[in-house]
Amino acid sequence: MLLFRQLRRDITRRQVTLNVFQPKYQYSNLFFCKRRFSTAYEPIRHASATEASNVKDVVDHGIAKKARRGAKYTLIMGGVLGSVFIWDYYFNARTLSRNTRTVWNGIMLILDYKLNYDRDNLEKMNGVHERAAQRLLDVCKKNGGLYVKAGQAIGIQVAILPKPYHALAQMFDAAEPVSLEAIRNVIHDELGMWPEEIFVEFDPNPIGSASIAQVHRARLHTGEQVAVKVQRPDIRKHAKWDLLAFRILMRIYENVFDLPLTFASQYISDQIELETHFDHERENTERIRNHVLTETPKHLKGGVAYVPAIHSSLCTPRLLVMEYIEGAVRMTDVDALEKRLGLDVNEVMNSVCEVFAAQVFKWGFVNADPHPSNVLIRRHPSNPKKHQVVLIDHGLSIPLPPAFRYQYLTLWKSLFTNDTEQLKAVCKAWGVDLGEDGFGAQMMGSAVLLQGWSGPGGRKRRGASQSREMRGAHGGRHGTNREDVNGSEKELTQEERMKRDLEIQRKMKETVKRFLQNYELIPKELIFLGRSMRIIQANNQVSVL
């Protein structure tokens, strides 16, 4: 009622009250209304030139004001981002930029697989694999640090990854050397003395540069040659954020691919982080050295294996000083083994396998990172015609409880005796359901042996990386044939091969999901133990080819 009276009073006075929420002037059908409402006493008329000019000035002023405000905010944002970049680069060890690169590439990789991966189109599948492998390689190279170690873990498994991922193998020696000044500062921070005060000689050129540390050759005042392992200056700061990014990405992959991938991510992170604590590596080295010297199996008697001695008085959480091994080569350097050292490669690899078998089944303490640079071969000091396996870098070593060792031994025994029931019993204790169709047992046996295993009545061919059925899924050697009712083989058409491969891939994924249903029961030691076995197999394949 009050509003109605007010409106009538305004009309009577031939005035219109302006609404505070509306502009004073507005256009309507090319006519300009000075007042908000038209009445019978004042019809709508054209705006005058002066009024139109005033409105134009107001509009231009608003646009200019917004432009100035946008430029101001752009400059402020640019300054903030530039300051953050400078702070991150010079004072934060590039932690922010490294993690941003990781997350961005991880998201793009997931989207690529989700949007472009077509199981019905081999060309598209290979294209996605190639792009994903290149992304991983670029991230590992640019970020360095623990990403190089991740590249080593991926690249060493070239036998089971799609071909585009083979490029990751170059990550073995991709760590860029740290400056001598940075190395000197770390030594001074740890021991309170400069290298020239501690050593008679200190080679400024590193003999090895890895993802976590750099190694220099030096000579003590006693005349003994030593290897000085110095941690990279910013690795501790990187490790915390790198591993956080790793766990986040694992969570993303778990949600996208519908597989429980994060159940062991914290365990993996903890083990990798321990590699940045050299006091932990010193303890591991002394433990494995004691095993080698005092608990040597019969087939390793005579010093077949050796672990360099540690100079504990010069060791700190970021510094490790150990005995220098002269004249040693990598276990995969076949030319050096045969031509320079005159050793039998097959005998060398047999000894390497025996050493790691002793770590797993006898000592219960296994090196989970036995890549070629960590397993060296030299002539035996007491018998130059024989070889000696030198084990170094024990930062990532995993203890194996006695109960687990017994189960793992039983697992291997069941595979060699084709005892499927015993195999199922061990896996059941680990929470792994192999099922009743035989496919699960076949997958488990092939994964453990790293070669085809078909169970009772099946064929097992030495050197095969997968069974006939699994090879077919990847287009392997026997992937083009099938057996008819008489046991003879017939050629498969391309359409038949594709249909069969798709069925096998789906079946394998469902089997893996069943394996991981009770993931809380799965021994986490299997993760690094399996990795160690795969690395040894890959080293063996390179050496004997």
Side-chain angles (χ1 to χ4, degrees):
M1 180 65 69
L2 292 175
L3 290 175
F4 176 78
R5 290 177 179 175
Q6 181 66 39
L7 181 60
R8 198 172 87 179
R9 186 163 48 252
D10 292 340
I11 293 175
T12 302
R13 297 175 181 175
R14 301 181 64 184
Q15 294 178 350
V16 177
T17 303
L18 297 178
N19 191 320
V20 296
F21 299 105
Q22 296 292 335
K24 184 175 182 181
Y25 301 104
Q26 59 182 351
Y27 286 98
S28 176
N29 297 327
L30 301 180
F31 290 95
F32 181 81
C33 295
K34 182 176 181 181
R35 300 175 186 261
R36 188 163 176 265
F37 298 101
S38 296
T39 69
Y41 302 99
E42 187 174 343
I44 297 176
R45 61 180 176 78
H46 287 286
S48 66
T50 303
E51 290 172 332
S53 176
N54 291 337
V55 171
K56 183 176 181 300
D57 291 342
V58 171
V59 173
D60 291 344
H61 177 72
I63 294 175
K65 185 176 181 180
K66 289 182 179 180
R68 289 194 299 271
R69 185 182 302 169
K72 177 181 178 181
Y73 288 157
T74 301
L75 290 174
I76 293 175
M77 185 62 66
V80 171
L81 292 177
S83 301
V84 170
F85 174 79
I86 294 174
W87 169 79
D88 184 58
Y89 188 86
Y90 290 101
F91 304 102
N92 197 40
R94 299 184 300 117
T95 301
L96 181 61
S97 59
R98 295 167 78 253
N99 292 333
T100 303
R101 184 183 297 115
T102 301
V103 173
W104 170 255
N105 282 277
I107 293 173
M108 296 304 296
L109 186 148
I110 294 173
L111 291 177
D112 199 5
Y113 268 103
K114 279 296 181 182
L115 299 178
N116 301 318
Y117 190 79
D118 185 359
R119 293 185 177 182
D120 297 325
N121 190 317
L122 184 61
E123 184 178 353
K124 286 187 176 181
M125 290 172 60
N126 289 336
V128 175
H129 288 321
E130 289 174 0
R131 291 192 296 273
Q134 189 60 47
R135 281 187 181 279
L136 289 174
L137 182 61
D138 292 341
V139 169
C140 291
K141 281 185 173 181
K142 292 177 180 178
N143 284 357
L146 294 182
Y147 286 89
V148 175
K149 188 155 298 279
Q152 292 174 346
I154 297 173
I156 197 67
Q157 302 183 54
V158 294
I160 62 175
L161 289 173
K163 187 175 180 179
Y165 285 87
H166 295 190
L168 291 170
Q170 63 182 283
M171 292 301 298
F172 284 129
D173 299 308
E176 188 174 331
V178 180
S179 67
L180 179 61
E181 180 183 1
I183 293 296
R184 285 171 49 82
N185 289 336
V186 172
I187 295 176
H188 186 269
D189 291 343
E190 293 300 301
L191 298 178
M193 295 183 289
W194 298 105
E196 55 269 19
E197 300 178 77
I198 305 169
F199 308 103
V200 176
E201 297 175 1
F202 186 86
D203 191 346
N205 300 313
I207 59 177
S209 181
S211 55
I212 293 178
Q214 188 164 294
V215 181
H216 289 257
R217 186 174 181 175
R219 185 163 62 91
L220 298 174
H221 289 278
T222 60
E224 182 180 357
Q225 296 283 346
V226 293
V228 183
K229 184 175 182 179
V230 185
Q231 190 173 110
R232 290 176 172 267
D234 300 316
I235 193 65
R236 292 278 185 89
K237 184 179 294 185
H238 285 168
K240 177 182 178 181
W241 292 103
D242 291 353
L243 296 176
L244 175 61
F246 160 75
R247 292 193 295 271
I248 293 174
L249 284 176
M250 290 295 287
R251 177 68 65 180
I252 294 174
Y253 280 118
E254 180 177 75
N255 294 332
V256 170
F257 296 109
D258 191 27
L259 287 173
L261 303 175
T262 60
F263 74 96
S265 59
Q266 187 62 54
Y267 172 77
I268 295 173
S269 296
D270 293 342
Q271 295 299 324
I272 294 178
E273 186 177 10
L274 284 175
E275 286 194 82
T276 65
H277 298 269
F278 285 179
D279 47 352
H280 176 75
E281 180 176 347
R282 175 181 58 80
E283 294 173 358
N284 289 347
T285 303
E286 291 173 343
R287 176 175 174 176
I288 196 68
R289 176 177 167 82
N290 181 65
H291 285 311
V292 169
L293 295 178
T294 62
E295 303 177 38
T296 307
K298 183 182 298 184
H299 48 272
L300 295 178
K301 293 290 185 182
V304 175
Y306 186 75
V307 176
I310 296 289
H311 293 267
S312 300
S313 61
L314 297 176
C315 295
T316 72
R318 300 173 66 199
L319 188 67
L320 204 61
V321 180
M322 69 195 80
E323 175 187 358
Y324 180 78
I325 303 299
E326 188 76 49
V329 300
R330 294 182 180 182
M331 61 177 293
T332 55
D333 192 345
V334 177
D335 288 340
L337 290 173
E338 293 181 337
K339 298 177 181 179
R340 200 172 87 192
L341 301 182
L343 300 174
D344 187 304
V345 175
N346 290 327
E347 290 183 0
V348 168
M349 289 310 305
N350 285 337
S351 295
V352 171
C353 292
E354 294 285 358
V355 168
F356 277 88
Q359 291 185 23
V360 175
F361 298 112
K362 184 175 178 60
W363 303 329
F365 195 64
V366 61
N367 187 336
D369 192 25
H371 63 79
S373 297
N374 290 343
V375 183
L376 306 178
I377 309 298
R378 67 173 177 177
R379 289 195 181 102
H380 198 293
S382 302
N383 187 356
K385 294 183 180 181
K386 297 292 184 178
H387 62 268
Q388 188 175 67
V389 180
V390 181
L391 307 174
I392 63 174
D393 194 352
H394 301 277
L396 186 59
S397 296
I398 308 300
L400 305 177
F404 172 80
R405 274 185 281 161
Y406 177 78
Q407 291 174 326
Y408 195 64
L409 178 63
T410 305
L411 178 71
W412 277 84
K413 180 182 176 182
S414 66
L415 294 175
F416 278 108
T417 59
N418 287 328
D419 189 343
T420 306
E421 294 304 317
Q422 192 176 50
L423 173 63
K424 289 182 178 180
V426 173
C427 291
K428 184 178 180 180
W430 292 344
V432 178
D433 180 13
L434 298 183
E436 300 298 332
D437 58 357
F439 188 76
Q442 181 182 346
M443 280 189 63
M444 177 61 70
S446 300
V448 174
L449 294 175
L450 304 175
Q451 66 178 33
W453 186 83
S454 302
R459 293 184 299 173
K460 181 174 65 177
R461 184 169 64 86
R462 183 176 179 83
S465 60
Q466 295 171 312
S467 66
R468 174 187 296 256
E469 188 175 22
M470 294 181 188
R471 284 195 301 270
H474 299 282
R477 177 179 175 183
H478 296 282
T480 60
N481 300 329
R482 65 180 175 186
E483 293 184 359
D484 60 16
V485 293
N486 298 320
S488 59
E489 294 184 347
K490 291 184 178 181
E491 289 293 328
L492 292 175
T493 64
Q494 183 177 0
E495 183 178 353
E496 290 175 328
R497 288 200 308 272
M498 183 175 295
K499 182 178 179 181
R500 179 208 56 194
D501 293 351
L502 290 175
E503 292 176 353
I504 294 174
Q505 289 178 2
R506 294 190 188 104
K507 191 174 182 180
M508 291 175 67
K509 181 176 181 179
E510 291 303 317
T511 303
V512 171
K513 290 181 69 174
R514 189 176 72 240
F515 283 177
L516 299 176
Q517 281 182 346
N518 301 310
Y519 57 81
E520 65 276 0
L521 299 178
I522 299 176
K524 294 182 176 60
E525 292 85 356
L526 283 172
I527 299 171
F528 286 105
L529 180 57
R531 178 175 183 267
S532 179
M533 300 296 286
R534 283 179 171 82
I535 294 176
I536 292 297
Q537 185 205 42
N539 293 342
N540 193 11
Q541 289 174 342
V542 171
S543 300
V544 300
L545 289 179

